[in-house]
């Protein structure tokens, strides 16, 4: 993996004269042989460091939550070059080993993983597991051994006999509205799930869901979608950060994009904060515009 942005000593390189980048030649002029050689030398010196697999500690440092924010909601999504967020209904075919390391790192840093019910059903979600690589960090930050999984659902049409509900290290949360079906609420509680009310009717209010989870001490939030849930967070303007993997693949077809739902009246601007690369996959971090100057 290579860091492309922000520019550091690892990514910038320095030429033999102590400058960065290539020498300038007036428009229309030909560079003398010695200047061409110097430029080539500087270009070679400025080349990014060779690929290597980053340790999980290095990835955790690169993706650390902002220390000065009380509540932070980030999303982690993958998209192909032509905008597909999945292939045959799942994200795995457009992912990679490096993408899965980033995926695991983001989970290892989060208090809670927020996911839509449809994604739980399609992807066969299981409980987040405790990982030794993040144990010391989590203990130092007062976090549970593994993040909770919070499923956002209005109708609670979920299989409560699945491992997500029968085998969690931390109780699975169900984020729903006050008007959710009473029999499904009872079945969820019987399965050991905890109910979080975040809406007056059956539907969930995205901003209220973030507040409700934060009130439980779950302040470092990670959503993994799906596209409809991410679109709701975007529409409510509560998304602080997007961690986007750009997969060097083309799928064509009519697969969903990373965010769905009604279009915003005015597009929301995000600012690029960092960019990593491995094996042609790009790993970008974008912060919402209100954070871009901080």
């Amino acid at each position: 993996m290579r860091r492309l942005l922000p520019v550091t000593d690892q990514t910038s390189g320095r030429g033999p004269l102590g400058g960065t980048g290539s020498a300038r030649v007036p428009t229309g002029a030909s560079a003398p042989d010695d200047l061409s050689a110097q430029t080539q030398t500087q270009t070679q010196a400025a080349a990014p460091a060779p690929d290597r697999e980053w340790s999980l500690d290095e990835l955790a440092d690169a993706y650390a939550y902002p220390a000065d924010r009380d509540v932070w909601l980030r999303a982690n999504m993958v998209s192909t070059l032509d905008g597909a967020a999945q292939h045959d209904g799942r994200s795995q075919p457009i992912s990679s080993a490096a993408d899965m390391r980033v995926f695991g790192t983001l989970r290892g840093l989060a208090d809670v993983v927020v996911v839509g019910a449809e994604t739980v059903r399609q992807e066969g979600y299981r409980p987040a597991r405790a990982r030794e690589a993040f144990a010391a960090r989590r203990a130092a930050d007062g976090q549970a051994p593994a993040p909770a999984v919070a499923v956002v659902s209005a109708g609670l049409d979920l299989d409560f006999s699945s491992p997500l509900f029968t085998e969690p290290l931390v109780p699975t949360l169900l984020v729903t509205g006050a008007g959710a079906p009473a029999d499904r609420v009872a079945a969820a509680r019987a399965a050991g799930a905890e109910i979080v009310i975040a809406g007056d009717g059956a539907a969930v209010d995205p901003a209220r869901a973030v507040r409700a989870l934060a009130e439980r001490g779950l302040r470092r939030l990670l959503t993994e979608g799906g596209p409809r849930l991410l679109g709701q967070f975007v529409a409510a303007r509560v998304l602080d950060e997007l961690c986007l993997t750009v997969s060097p693949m083309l799928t064509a077809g009519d697969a969903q994009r990373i965010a769905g739902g009604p279009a915003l009246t005015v597009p929301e601007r995000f600012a690029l904060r960092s960019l990593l690369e491995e094996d042609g996959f790009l790993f970008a971090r974008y912060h919402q515009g209100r954070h871009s100057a901080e």
Side-chain angles (χ1 to χ4, degrees):
M1 183 167 283
R2 301 178 296 163
R3 184 190 299 275
L4 303 182
L5 286 174
V7 175
T8 64
D9 288 343
Q10 178 185 359
T11 57
S12 65
R14 290 192 174 270
L17 300 180
T20 58
S22 60
R24 296 181 61 186
V25 179
T27 303
S30 298
D33 291 343
D34 59 338
L35 186 55
S36 296
Q38 174 182 307
T39 302
Q40 182 179 8
T41 300
Q42 290 182 335
T43 301
Q44 291 170 345
D51 278 352
R52 65 175 179 83
E53 183 174 311
W54 283 22
S55 70
L56 292 179
D57 268 342
E58 289 174 302
L59 285 174
D61 288 341
Y63 283 94
Y65 279 83
D68 60 345
R69 295 292 167 183
D70 191 37
V71 180
W72 190 265
L73 172 62
R74 66 167 32 146
N76 180 31
M77 303 294 284
V78 58
S79 172
T80 62
L81 297 176
D82 52 348
Q86 52 190 230
H87 185 64
D88 287 338
R90 301 179 65 239
S91 59
Q92 188 277 331
I94 61 174
S95 182
S96 69
D99 182 46
M100 294 312 298
R101 290 200 306 275
V102 171
F103 176 92
T105 298
L106 294 178
R107 281 194 165 201
L109 298 173
D111 293 328
V112 60
V113 177
V114 187
V115 63
E118 184 63 23
T119 298
V120 167
R121 290 188 288 264
Q122 287 184 343
E123 302 274 358
Y125 258 62
R126 301 180 67 87
R129 58 191 177 93
R131 299 184 62 182
E132 182 62 31
F134 303 106
R137 285 177 184 264
R138 296 188 68 86
D141 289 339
Q143 293 175 291
V149 174
V151 183
V152 178
S153 175
L156 304 183
D157 182 18
L158 296 158
D159 179 6
F160 296 129
S161 67
S162 70
L164 181 60
F165 298 97
T166 62
E167 301 175 6
L169 188 61
V170 180
T172 295
L173 306 175
L174 286 176
V175 183
T176 191
D183 60 330
R184 299 306 294 163
V185 171
R189 285 181 169 144
E194 298 183 6
I195 304 296
V196 179
I197 300 299
D200 294 330
V204 172
D205 178 332
R208 189 168 164 183
V210 171
R211 292 195 301 270
L213 292 170
E215 288 168 359
R216 287 174 163 257
L218 306 173
R219 302 178 182 277
R220 284 163 284 200
L221 294 89
L222 168 68
T223 181
E224 297 171 349
R228 184 168 62 178
L229 178 61
L230 179 56
Q232 292 171 348
F233 283 133
V234 171
R237 299 190 182 277
V238 293
L239 185 69
D240 297 298
E241 178 182 351
L242 173 63
C243 299
L244 177 64
T245 297
V246 180
S247 170
M249 300 182 189
L250 295 168
T251 65
D254 57 358
Q256 288 181 297
R257 301 186 304 170
I258 65 169
L264 299 180
T265 303
V266 178
E268 188 171 14
R269 180 68 181 264
F270 278 65
L272 180 64
R273 298 304 297 263
S274 69
L275 184 64
L276 308 176
E277 184 274 338
E278 182 172 318
D279 195 28
F281 284 76
L282 296 176
F283 303 92
R285 289 181 67 196
Y286 291 92
H287 282 190
Q288 201 276 345
R290 65 181 177 270
H291 305 306
S292 61
E294 303 171 1

